[in-house]
Amino acid sequence: MLTPTQQLDQTDIAILKALQNNARLTCKELAAQIHLSTTPTFERWKRLEREGYIKQYVTMLDAEKLNQGFVVFCHIKMQRIDLEATNNFVKTIRQIPEVTECYNISGKFDYLLKVHSENMHQYQQFIINVIGQISYIASLESTFVMREEKHELGI
């Protein structure tokens, strides 16, 4: 059985790279970039979407300009790890707009959250009024981002 990446050829990979760089490309522009005519380019593009290689299209916003440039990685330790607590935690976190990423991790902590805030005071209020209200959290540790050195969404 082939793995998903074994089913992709160099043209498919070129399409994915081009769209990661600029998802607003027209089919004609994409075809020109990958040196293929528009019809096969369009068919491949739609197949990549249909097969789930392309999950969604997004617009990257400037957090600083939106006054949400204070970034914190928040490490969460749960009081207990069971199906109910885990499901409730994930359901709650998915509804909190300040949390832009959430990972279940191994090691000393159970979850890693990426949180966007206006400033330190707003983050403190967020911890007290939002995260602090989740009863099954045992502890948390915050790491404040001083400067972003690299940020890529592509893989």
Side-chain angles (χ1 to χ4, degrees):
M1 177 177 230
L2 294 175
T3 63
T5 54
Q6 289 174 319
Q7 296 174 6
L8 300 178
D9 63 18
Q10 291 304 315
T11 303
D12 292 330
I13 292 169
I15 290 170
L16 295 174
K17 285 183 179 181
L19 290 172
Q20 278 188 135
N21 189 45
N22 182 0
R24 295 185 70 187
L25 288 173
T26 65
C27 186
K28 185 176 178 179
E29 292 168 332
L30 178 60
Q33 276 192 27
I34 64 168
H35 310 291
L36 196 64
S37 63
T38 55
T39 299
T41 298
F42 180 79
E43 290 170 357
R44 283 173 177 260
W45 188 348
K46 291 304 165 192
R47 179 181 52 81
L48 291 167
E49 288 177 343
R50 193 173 51 253
E51 292 178 359
Y53 290 98
I54 299 171
K55 292 172 64 172
Q56 71 181 53
Y57 298 93
V58 298
T59 300
M60 289 182 59
L61 304 178
D62 187 320
E64 289 290 333
K65 288 185 178 183
L66 294 168
N67 210 19
Q68 294 295 304
F70 188 73
V71 179
V72 183
F73 286 96
C74 183
H75 299 81
I76 303 286
K77 179 75 177 162
M78 301 289 285
Q79 285 181 0
R80 66 183 204 276
I81 299 294
D82 60 36
L83 188 59
E84 179 187 3
T86 299
N87 286 344
N88 286 338
F89 177 77
V90 171
K91 183 179 177 184
T92 300
I93 290 302
R94 286 182 177 164
Q95 295 175 11
I96 301 172
E98 293 90 347
V99 177
T100 58
E101 297 177 44
C102 175
Y103 301 95
N104 181 216
I105 59 174
S106 64
K108 185 171 143 183
F109 295 96
D110 301 308
Y111 288 93
L112 175 64
L113 311 179
K114 183 177 182 182
V115 179
H116 281 264
S117 184
E118 181 178 337
N119 54 39
M120 178 71 79
H121 177 73
Q122 185 184 20
Y123 179 71
Q124 178 193 32
Q125 294 303 306
F126 169 76
I127 291 300
I128 292 168
N129 297 317
V130 180
I131 297 296
Q133 301 304 309
I134 303 173
S135 61
Y136 30 84
I137 293 178
S139 65
L140 67 84
E141 182 178 301
S142 299
T143 302
F144 304 100
V145 174
M146 295 189 302
R147 183 171 71 191
E148 181 178 274
E149 300 294 350
K150 182 178 180 179
H151 183 120
E152 291 184 20
L153 297 178
I155 53 172

